[in-house]
Amino acid sequence: MELQKEYKTMMGFGSALARLLIKDGAEGHALDETVSANIKHQIGSSYNSWADGALTLWNWGMHDEQTHSRIAAQIPEFDQHDSDGFCEQLYCYTFGHAGVSDRPRKILEVGSGAGAGLNFLSRLNQQDTFIGVDLAQRAVARATARFSRPGAVSFVNGDAENLPFKDGEFDVVINVESSHNYPHVGAFLAEVGRVLKPGGTFSFVDFFTDERLAEFEKGLTPAASALQPQAQHDISENVRAAIRRRMDRDSIFRAQVRKSSPLGTRYIQEQNALLQYGSPFATKSSMWNKLSGTGMSDGLRVVAKLNSYRHFLATKVGS
């Protein structure tokens, strides 16, 4: 019964992502508010159902020796227990591009999920104040229960396209593997520009189809946004390196899946987890391009169309 529920959740989530990331035929038309609301409901429901999951993974991760060394200098053996360290590296890489400061800063993560990533950053940067916002109410509740600390880390429920914060409230906004869930890229970028202080920094990473990448590049032009692009980095190979290591039979990732899955469904759960955490992006087998239709295959269609994993850095125009 639980496996059927998870499969249904994955089908709905895959269909929602296909609507956002694959622009073919009728799918290429702009989303009206009803369609947009339905997509947000499906995505929010999916993340609510995953909020109490047994896996300790927050994203596809990345493998970068320099980033690994920087974390290990502050938190030795951070990747040798319950975590393989790849999620942490992606967070550290993203936040690291916001630079350093000799004064406390106010940091916002849009799409903070169950909160582990923001909590990790707060351990590395104890002078800053961190706030996470997420659409999934159960994820926010779990993050609050596990990680909130007065004056240091807090979490609120909210929409990335209508952020519940004042103008110019934050020094830095980050977004880690979450923007693919947003129906209106322009609205999201406008909100980031609104809540950032003049001169503030926006740093985000995500996977992209060609169509989705074009949307973001258009949204980050001076005519469309208060954000001024500073850099764009293709980190696809770093992300693929992390995924391949997770695909190893003896990896921490696969051990976690096996431990959390009933014996009778273990193989199916393991394969689903590998798909969810990007195995087709790492292997690029031609078999993924042959899948079509609805439901689960929509999710596979999306992964088959992903061409890159990228980091964007921008600043708020003004002084």
Side-chain angles (χ1 to χ4, degrees):
M1 191 69 175
E2 190 64 30
L3 187 60
Q4 287 182 323
K5 181 180 178 181
E6 182 179 343
Y7 181 73
K8 185 177 181 180
T9 299
M10 287 296 294
M11 286 196 301
F13 184 72
S15 296
L17 284 194
R19 187 69 176 88
L20 295 178
L21 303 186
I22 302 176
K23 309 292 185 182
D24 49 15
E27 302 297 304
H29 297 301
L31 303 175
D32 62 35
E33 289 307 310
T34 300
V35 173
S36 175
N38 287 339
I39 289 174
K40 289 182 182 180
H41 174 75
Q42 180 60 64
I43 287 174
S45 297
S46 298
Y47 280 104
N48 275 328
S49 70
W50 296 326
D52 298 323
L55 295 181
T56 60
L57 303 176
W58 330 319
N59 51 59
W60 285 7
M62 73 177 294
H63 176 63
D64 177 73
E65 292 293 346
Q66 185 176 5
T67 302
H68 182 279
S69 297
R70 188 159 63 246
I71 300 171
Q74 292 184 253
I75 309 177
E77 300 183 352
F78 75 98
D79 59 346
Q80 297 180 30
H81 301 289
D82 293 333
S83 170
D84 55 23
F86 300 130
C87 294
E88 289 90 337
Q89 289 181 59
L90 189 60
Y91 262 85
C92 185
Y93 176 90
T94 305
F95 186 65
H97 279 83
V100 296
S101 176
D102 57 2
R103 62 176 180 81
R105 295 174 295 179
K106 193 172 184 180
I107 315 298
L108 174 67
E109 180 184 9
V110 182
S112 51
L118 202 62
N119 176 65
F120 170 74
L121 288 180
S122 74
R123 294 169 62 198
L124 293 175
N125 306 273
Q126 297 182 25
Q127 78 282 2
D128 294 328
T129 300
F130 294 85
I131 298 175
V133 60
D134 201 274
L135 186 66
Q137 293 179 337
R138 281 176 60 185
V140 171
R142 180 176 174 84
T144 299
R146 295 186 65 194
F147 301 122
S148 63
R149 304 193 306 278
V153 186
S154 60
F155 301 91
V156 299
N157 181 236
D159 188 333
E161 298 174 5
N162 186 23
L163 293 171
F165 305 107
K166 296 182 296 185
D167 294 0
E169 188 170 345
F170 296 95
D171 299 285
V172 177
V173 176
I174 64 168
N175 186 253
V176 180
E177 201 174 292
S178 178
S179 68
H180 58 271
N181 295 310
Y182 308 158
H184 300 293
V185 168
F188 164 56
L189 295 174
E191 281 294 275
V192 170
R194 181 182 66 79
V195 302
L196 270 176
K197 296 177 181 178
T201 303
F202 176 45
S203 182
F204 80 101
V205 293
D206 210 346
F207 46 70
F208 290 91
T209 60
D210 286 342
E211 299 94 333
R212 191 68 166 178
L213 179 60
E215 284 187 78
F216 269 92
E217 290 179 333
K218 181 179 178 181
L220 283 169
T221 61
S225 172
L227 298 170
Q228 180 68 44
Q230 299 297 319
Q232 181 183 157
H233 306 106
D234 188 330
I235 58 172
S236 301
E237 289 311 308
N238 300 91
V239 173
R240 289 188 176 109
I243 296 171
R244 291 187 186 111
R245 283 166 171 77
R246 285 177 172 166
M247 292 170 65
D248 289 344
R249 184 161 298 278
D250 297 325
S251 68
I252 291 175
F253 167 69
R254 295 186 76 155
Q256 285 185 355
V257 176
R258 290 192 291 267
K259 183 178 180 180
S260 64
S261 304
L263 184 60
T265 64
R266 189 165 296 170
Y267 176 79
I268 296 175
Q269 296 275 43
E270 195 169 352
Q271 297 308 307
N272 283 345
L274 288 170
L275 291 171
Q276 186 177 354
Y277 285 92
S279 59
F281 182 70
T283 59
K284 282 298 177 184
S285 170
S286 61
M287 67 173 287
W288 306 116
N289 298 308
K290 298 176 182 178
L291 293 164
S292 61
T294 60
M296 179 65 81
S297 61
D298 273 340
L300 296 176
R301 271 204 313 144
V302 169
V303 180
K305 291 270 289 182
L306 297 178
N307 287 329
S308 62
Y309 199 113
R310 293 175 182 267
H311 166 251
F312 282 82
L313 184 69
T315 55
K316 169 73 173 288
V317 176
S319 60

